[in-house]
Amino acid sequence: MDRFSFLNAAHTAFFADLYDQYIENPDSVEPSWRSFFQGFDFGMQGNGYETLDVEQPRPAAQPVSDYSGIPEKLQKEFKVLNLIEGYRTRGHLFTKTNPVRDRRIFTPNLSLETFGLSDADLDTTFDAAKEAGLQQATLRQIVDHLRKVYCQHIGIEYMYIRDPEIRKWIQNRLTRNDNQPDFSADQKKGILSKLNEAVSFENFLHTKYVGQKRFSLEGGESLIPALDALIESAAEKGVEQFVMGMAHRGRLNVLANVFGKSTSDIFSEFDGKDYDDDALFDGDVKYHLGLTADKKTKSGRQININLAPNPSHLETVGAVIEGIARAKQDRYFPDDFSKVLPIALHGDAAVAGQGIVYEIVQMANLDGYKTGGTIHMVVNNQVGFTTNYLDARSSTYCTDIAKVTLSPVLHVNADDAEAVVHAVLFALDYRMEFGGDVFIDLLGYRKYGHNEGDEPSFTQPKLYKIIAKHKNPRDLYAEKLIASGVIDDKFTSKLEADYKAVLEENLEASRKKELTIISPFMQNEWEGFAQADADEMLKKVNTAFSKEMLDEIAKTITELPADKKFIKKIQKLINDRKAMYFETDKLDWAMAEMLSYGSLMTEGYDIRISGQDVERGTFSHRHAVIKVEDSEEEVILLDTLKDKKGKFHIFNSLLSEYGVVGFDYGYALASPKTLTIWEAQFGDFSNGAQIMIDQYISAAEDKWNNQNGLVFLLPHGYEGQGAEHSSARMERYLQLCANHNMYVADCTTPANFFHLLRRQMKTTFRKPLIVFTPKSLLRHPLVVSTAEEFANGTFQEVLDDPAADTKKVKTLVFCTGKFYYDLIAERENLKRDDVAVVRIEQLFPLPTEQLKEIIAKYPNADDYVWAQEEPRNMGAYSHMLMNFNEVKLRLASLKAYSAPAAGSYTRSKKRHAAAIAMVFDKNLFN
């Protein structure tokens, strides 16, 4: 019997469905059909077309060398199915998406011959058309449909998505109107109006402020109607808050024509006027500023839109807006994240070249960082400053990062405003349906150089000859609408004249203003908070907490559920905590930390902690999350507090510093009543987030008027663990300190740490807090405090020597952190009662007046020492020299080194001992 005779009775529609089922899951079809499809795939590969890969492993296909038994019509149906898959998989490579350059040539192409078909088949009717969303149709009709859907001004990549339901949804969505825009006359006029605003705004600035940098949107103006349509449509779907981040290109246009920022204020910024604020604010260039606005949509819906400020590190803000969005979701919509929409605008060179993008993308589906889907829009200029795209990436597209999370990508011709809006609405529908990321590659050009004073023809002479002759998107669209009878030839002129008249009026008004007004960012969240200078930061804050309530918290966090089984070490640890609180009254660092969180939660503050391994703690001290032994069920004792008013969130982060710090900074920016903490695995790992530290943590309040209370916990201390596990690089933070920008602390007692964390929430202002936390001191027998010190104390910026006889002391030593315990151990060993050791618990703002009072208490001291375990070119020595000149400080430290510590434990111990010895012998020095 003919081995393919079973095919003769098969209806091709049934076959098409079966083949589609095979593609999704080979094991789901009957074995003889699976064998046939495997052979067919093998045979089709010989025609230069790669068949769609499938998830499940399959046995090696045997080549089918004899198709004589298969009906010819059925063979053609196979080939048409492969043609459809070819357009779905590779159609984006053959689109008309580049307005100023020819597309690169990719092989194999989508010709009929690639799939074993020919022009002779064009008028043949195929049942396989149903796979493309058609009824039975000719090959000519099928190809025409596929070209409209996949190869016009919108190209889409999605076939790598593994979920068949998502692929099917996309395919159904694309076949609607052949993936072509279908807007009413009024909608088209609306698009043209927003395009006119975008074009006219840039033209106005170009003529009024000749040669000034503005990083214009020209070449990508269709972004403005796209964002307008996105916000309007999202509001109709229930989105109430929008959080947007973007670099400087096009920012002024977005601020004016999407966010509604007063162009009068923008003109004042161009005129370089001083700010209406006092000395607490220095400001930033106009194309870095952010804005928050409450708006009404055209349909009357009230929405809140935010554009976060951003430095010149282009993609940095992407992490920040995700944190802002998550904070808003946690606060306002914990059960429906879809109501807050993050929108990230990228540049093509930046989205492909900056590693922060990968870190952000990897957050998209993680419990601690997900935001229900972000719409990413790339304003693709096809050049980064002076670098051509072929030198800017190895990937085919700048958006190939999207494939990490299997997110669909739409490539759109920026000259076709309707296609751009159509693509954005698709992206919105996808995000609202699946809660996932989606990318839009808006392929345009940059009319001028990197800034308006640059000459782009130096590096792209051919491209800029084309651009110089190219019409702007508004004029192209107006011509299209005139040709179709939607508008007459006077419509656009009137739009332009009316908009320009408003700009002229606002320019005249701005010239009458003496100062520039900077609009506040997220003012609703920051109601009731005031900015503070260094004097205010040094004032004492009441951080006391009821002993009775502290007892209740301690009871809750020292009792494990009786009905669950835990490993013995965990049971012992929790029992030890119970004993230290209720029996010995010697509370360690971990207990102080947990009690501080519990106390704040009872007062209505939320807690968010993230970072690498924070749930247990790198040094196995925290154990905020405990696992049941058999099931690995998570138990969080702080969640069981009876009277808590706040929530406790703690998340082990992905192995990222830059992205996670950016996210947590954004979270703290949007939620000042949450104690937001990022902990480094080791202190110096924060150097992976140095851009965030330099551009946001230390400078954002000065540049953008943005307060932020993010806490850094940075394990620090020299225990002979080598260069990477010793120093948190405190010198870098201290060098960034100025005026009133942040707190820097290095606590030595659990009680002081308890009050420090509470102070962070109890002030009426917010400052970033950098805490150099201990490693070996976590379990040091002397590093304990009493419950009474927690209940009735307050944060102490300086701790005087409790054991010193002030009249006997001749050498007064100042130090921070762990080194204190090393020094007093040596003092006891040497039996020296003429040496006092004073701990500076807060390095910035430096408590100068308190230090003066302490110095006055030691009338016979004539030797003043700054002692540190870090090399002399590191640590706090230079900070003390610059900020404290009441006495001349003799230095006791290691020599200057390029690495923070030696790799050899023996060498480290020897150097450490030498630094200690210098404290007690003024004749020794490095």
Side-chain angles (χ1 to χ4, degrees):
M1 176 183 266
D2 184 343
R3 60 182 172 138
F4 295 122
S5 61
F6 68 96
L7 297 174
N8 290 316
H11 191 279
T12 52
F14 163 75
F15 165 77
D17 290 340
L18 198 61
Y19 184 63
D20 194 46
Q21 183 180 340
Y22 162 78
I23 289 296
E24 292 173 4
N25 183 3
D27 293 332
S28 68
V29 300
E30 194 272 333
S32 61
W33 278 105
R34 184 167 66 246
S35 177
F36 173 75
F37 291 146
Q38 289 168 358
F40 182 76
D41 284 351
F42 186 93
M44 289 310 296
Q45 289 172 12
N47 287 326
Y49 174 68
E50 291 186 9
T51 55
L52 180 67
D53 188 22
V54 291
E55 285 266 292
Q56 304 296 328
R58 52 185 175 180
Q62 298 299 314
V64 179
S65 56
D66 179 12
Y67 284 91
S68 59
I70 306 175
E72 183 179 358
K73 180 68 165 65
L74 195 52
Q75 290 185 43
K76 291 289 179 70
E77 294 280 2
F78 267 118
K79 294 173 182 178
V80 173
L81 281 173
N82 271 323
L83 171 75
I84 294 168
E85 293 300 307
Y87 271 88
R88 288 172 172 171
T89 306
R90 305 179 70 248
H92 57 88
L93 297 171
F94 305 97
T95 55
K96 302 170 184 176
T97 51
N98 198 320
V100 291
R101 279 175 167 160
D102 293 331
R103 291 293 306 263
R104 284 181 280 177
I105 296 173
F106 295 94
T107 56
N109 58 28
L110 298 177
S111 66
L112 294 177
E113 289 72 21
T114 297
F115 304 94
L117 299 165
S118 69
D119 289 348
D121 301 308
L122 284 171
D123 294 316
T124 303
T125 301
F126 291 96
D127 286 336
K130 295 176 181 177
E131 175 63 18
L134 304 171
Q135 296 302 311
Q136 194 179 61
T138 65
L139 180 59
R140 189 185 307 276
Q141 292 169 321
I142 294 170
V143 170
D144 180 61
H145 169 73
L146 292 173
R147 285 175 178 167
K148 286 179 180 177
V149 173
Y150 294 104
C151 297
Q152 296 303 305
H153 285 172
I154 301 175
I156 181 166
E157 297 180 89
Y158 71 98
M159 287 299 285
Y160 43 76
I161 296 174
R162 299 188 186 114
D163 188 334
E165 291 301 316
I166 295 179
R167 289 204 309 273
K168 182 62 70 177
W169 182 92
I170 291 174
Q171 288 161 9
N172 291 339
R173 184 68 163 69
L174 293 176
T175 55
R176 190 189 307 173
N177 301 321
D178 287 347
N179 196 26
Q180 301 300 303
D182 184 23
F183 298 115
S184 68
D186 285 343
Q187 287 173 321
K188 291 177 180 180
K189 290 176 183 177
I191 292 171
L192 180 61
S193 178
K194 296 307 291 185
L195 261 183
N196 174 70
E197 291 176 7
V199 171
S200 299
F201 179 79
E202 298 294 354
N203 289 340
F204 190 85
L205 292 181
H206 194 63
T207 55
K208 299 295 183 180
Y209 296 99
V210 179
Q212 280 210 44
K213 292 181 182 180
R214 71 178 190 275
F215 297 98
S216 82
L217 188 58
E218 288 167 279
E221 294 98 328
S222 53
L223 175 70
I224 300 302
L227 288 174
D228 180 68
L230 173 60
I231 291 170
E232 291 285 336
S233 299
E236 291 301 304
K237 293 179 181 295
V239 176
E240 297 183 23
Q241 301 220 17
F242 298 79
V243 185
M244 188 185 304
M246 66 182 298
H248 43 267
R249 179 145 324 274
R251 176 180 283 261
L252 296 178
N253 210 316
V254 169
L255 283 167
N257 295 315
V258 176
F259 281 73
K261 180 174 180 176
S262 166
T263 52
S264 178
D265 290 344
I266 293 174
F267 299 147
S268 290
E269 293 160 12
F270 269 101
D271 289 332
K273 298 172 184 175
D274 204 353
Y275 305 106
D276 67 337
D277 211 327
D278 55 24
L280 292 177
F281 174 68
D282 270 346
D284 198 358
V285 290
K286 49 195 166 290
Y287 38 79
H288 287 171
L289 301 177
L291 186 72
T292 293
D294 292 315
K295 288 184 65 174
K296 259 191 179 178
T297 66
K298 295 181 181 75
S299 64
R301 294 181 181 271
Q302 193 70 36
I303 59 171
N304 177 264
I305 54 177
N306 304 271
L307 178 63
N310 189 47
S312 286
H313 294 269
L314 307 178
E315 294 293 337
T316 303
V317 76
V320 176
I321 65 164
E322 299 296 342
I324 292 172
R326 178 59 181 264
K328 287 176 173 286
Q329 288 163 339
D330 283 347
R331 181 178 180 185
Y332 301 120
F333 313 106
D335 299 320
D336 188 359
F337 278 16
S338 71
K339 290 186 176 294
V340 181
L341 175 61
I343 305 168
L345 271 57
H346 311 269
D348 52 312
V351 75
Q354 296 193 4
I356 180 67
V357 181
Y358 178 82
E359 296 184 27
I360 297 166
V361 165
Q362 280 287 16
M363 295 177 182
N365 298 317
L366 303 180
D367 283 346
Y369 308 92
K370 62 187 178 184
T371 54
T374 298
I375 293 179
H376 298 265
M377 298 181 69
V378 179
V379 180
N380 190 335
N381 301 311
Q382 306 186 59
V383 59
F385 200 165
T386 67
T387 304
N388 279 315
Y389 68 96
L390 291 174
D391 294 318
R393 62 179 183 268
S394 297
S395 58
T396 301
Y397 295 113
C398 62
T399 52
D400 282 344
I401 189 73
K403 293 167 188 174
V404 170
T405 47
L406 306 179
S407 301
V409 181
L410 295 97
H411 306 278
V412 196
N413 189 320
D415 269 0
D416 186 343
E418 285 190 23
V420 173
V421 173
H422 180 79
V424 163
L425 296 180
F426 170 96
L428 175 63
D429 286 349
Y430 179 89
R431 187 267 181 178
M432 300 303 286
E433 181 73 20
F434 299 108
D437 287 7
V438 58
F439 284 71
I440 298 172
D441 178 15
L442 188 64
L443 205 70
Y445 54 91
R446 187 186 66 195
K447 185 174 181 180
Y448 303 106
H450 180 64
N451 60 63
E452 287 64 35
D454 191 31
E455 177 49 74
S457 294
F458 288 156
T459 47
Q460 283 85 21
K462 289 176 64 178
L463 173 63
Y464 275 87
K465 283 182 182 178
I466 296 170
I467 291 173
K469 300 174 184 177
H470 196 74
K471 291 183 179 179
N472 67 58
R474 180 200 62 189
D475 293 346
L476 290 171
Y477 190 45
E479 290 174 1
K480 178 181 176 181
L481 295 188
I482 291 170
S484 62
V486 175
I487 62 171
D488 58 29
D489 55 3
K490 296 179 181 178
F491 187 88
T492 308
S493 299
K494 186 176 187 310
L495 281 179
E496 185 174 14
D498 290 347
Y499 184 74
K500 185 178 178 182
V502 173
L503 295 180
E504 289 283 7
E505 183 180 332
N506 289 343
L507 178 63
E508 186 65 26
S510 76
R511 297 279 162 87
K512 297 175 182 178
K513 298 177 181 178
E514 294 184 5
L515 299 171
T516 296
I517 298 172
I518 298 298
S519 302
F521 183 61
M522 290 199 298
Q523 60 269 39
N524 292 340
E525 279 79 4
W526 287 88
E527 186 177 351
F529 291 89
Q531 289 184 299
D533 59 17
D535 290 338
E536 184 70 22
M537 292 169 70
L538 282 167
K539 290 180 180 178
K540 288 293 184 182
V541 178
N542 182 9
T543 55
F545 188 76
S546 160
K547 176 65 165 56
E548 291 73 21
M549 293 181 69
L550 207 62
D551 292 344
E552 285 298 315
I553 297 170
K555 186 173 185 297
T556 301
I557 64 174
T558 58
E559 291 182 357
L560 291 169
D563 59 340
K564 301 182 190 298
K565 183 181 179 184
F566 300 90
I567 65 172
K568 292 180 180 178
K569 287 184 178 180
I570 285 292
Q571 188 68 61
K572 181 180 184 304
L573 183 145
I574 299 300
N575 289 341
D576 288 348
R577 287 183 178 177
K578 189 168 190 175
M580 76 171 64
Y581 189 92
F582 293 103
E583 296 175 20
T584 65
D585 197 22
K586 293 182 177 179
L587 311 186
D588 66 6
W589 200 271
M591 200 60 181
E593 184 180 342
M594 299 297 282
L595 288 170
S596 71
Y597 301 151
S599 69
L600 289 169
M601 289 167 67
T602 63
E603 294 173 327
Y605 299 101
D606 290 348
I607 312 293
R608 175 187 166 89
I609 310 171
S610 87
Q612 294 149 25
D613 311 294
V614 296
E615 293 179 2
R616 187 202 75 175
T618 298
F619 309 103
S620 198
H621 81 288
R622 181 173 293 119
H623 294 284
V625 178
I626 299 167
K627 297 289 183 75
V628 176
E629 183 175 2
D630 298 328
S631 65
E632 294 197 1
E633 174 193 349
E634 293 186 346
V635 173
I636 301 176
L637 295 175
L638 281 169
D639 277 345
T640 64
L641 290 175
K642 291 179 182 177
D643 299 319
K644 68 182 175 78
K645 300 185 184 100
K647 298 176 182 176
F648 183 71
H649 307 287
I650 187 166
F651 303 101
N652 285 341
S653 74
L654 65 161
L655 197 65
S656 153
E657 290 87 30
Y658 189 0
V660 172
V661 168
F663 186 102
D664 285 333
Y665 176 88
Y667 197 101
L669 187 60
S671 190
K673 293 183 180 178
T674 298
L675 179 64
T676 307
I677 297 173
W678 176 75
E679 182 177 60
Q681 194 173 75
F682 284 88
D684 67 339
F685 287 9
S686 65
N687 57 21
Q690 197 64 49
I691 290 172
M692 287 305 312
I693 295 163
D694 291 346
Q695 304 299 330
Y696 287 87
I697 303 296
S698 67
E701 186 172 1
D702 193 39
K703 292 190 296 186
W704 308 317
N705 252 348
N706 290 348
Q707 294 189 66
N708 195 290
L710 180 62
V711 178
F712 272 34
L713 300 183
L714 306 178
H716 175 87
Y718 280 58
E719 284 97 2
Q721 295 187 48
E724 273 73 55
H725 294 153
S726 297
S727 175
R729 295 288 195 172
M730 66 168 63
E731 64 278 356
R732 295 183 180 175
Y733 295 93
L734 293 172
Q735 187 180 29
L736 293 170
C737 289
N739 298 326
H740 58 276
N741 63 337
M742 56 182 166
Y743 284 111
V744 177
D746 190 357
C747 298
T748 58
T749 74
N752 226 18
F753 184 54
F754 171 87
H755 290 292
L756 178 66
L757 292 178
R758 284 184 51 76
R759 184 185 72 174
Q760 190 68 0
M761 289 289 98
K762 302 296 281 186
T763 59
T764 57
F765 56 86
R766 293 288 178 264
K767 303 287 180 181
L769 168 62
I770 311 301
V771 189
F772 300 104
T773 54
K775 296 177 293 183
S776 60
L777 299 192
L778 294 174
R779 297 173 178 83
H780 195 292
L782 295 181
V783 184
V784 291
S785 301
T786 66
E788 190 64 29
E789 288 173 315
F790 287 13
N792 295 321
T794 187
F795 178 70
Q796 302 294 327
E797 292 84 359
V798 183
L799 292 176
D800 196 2
D801 194 328
D805 184 335
T806 57
K807 294 181 180 178
K808 291 183 179 179
V809 170
K810 294 184 177 180
T811 297
L812 189 59
V813 182
F814 299 92
C815 70
T816 65
K818 162 189 165 290
F819 207 39
Y820 166 77
Y821 293 96
D822 297 332
L823 294 178
I824 62 171
E826 181 65 6
R827 181 178 66 181
E828 184 176 344
N829 179 54
L830 296 174
K831 297 185 171 22
R832 292 281 298 272
D833 60 2
D834 62 335
V835 177
V837 184
V838 176
R839 287 163 279 178
I840 300 179
E841 302 280 284
Q842 179 174 290
L843 286 158
F844 192 84
L846 192 66
T848 306
E849 293 304 314
Q850 293 184 47
L851 291 172
K852 289 180 184 177
E853 291 173 7
I854 287 175
I855 290 171
K857 288 169 61 178
Y858 295 90
N860 298 318
D862 59 3
D863 178 26
Y864 301 96
V865 182
W866 175 257
Q868 64 178 44
E869 55 183 348
E870 302 86 2
R872 68 181 299 157
N873 57 320
M874 302 177 195
Y877 177 52
S878 59
H879 173 73
M880 293 300 296
L881 285 181
M882 286 190 294
N883 293 282
F884 190 71
N885 53 17
E886 297 304 313
V887 293
K888 186 176 181 180
L889 294 171
R890 174 171 65 86
L891 176 65
S893 80
L894 282 66
K895 295 178 182 178
Y897 291 103
S898 55
S904 161
Y905 178 79
T906 300
R907 179 172 294 185
S908 296
K909 191 175 179 181
K910 182 178 179 182
R911 289 178 179 176
H912 195 70
I916 293 172
M918 279 185 275
V919 171
F920 298 95
D921 187 346
K922 66 176 68 176
N923 295 315
L924 297 175
F925 60 90
N926 279 329

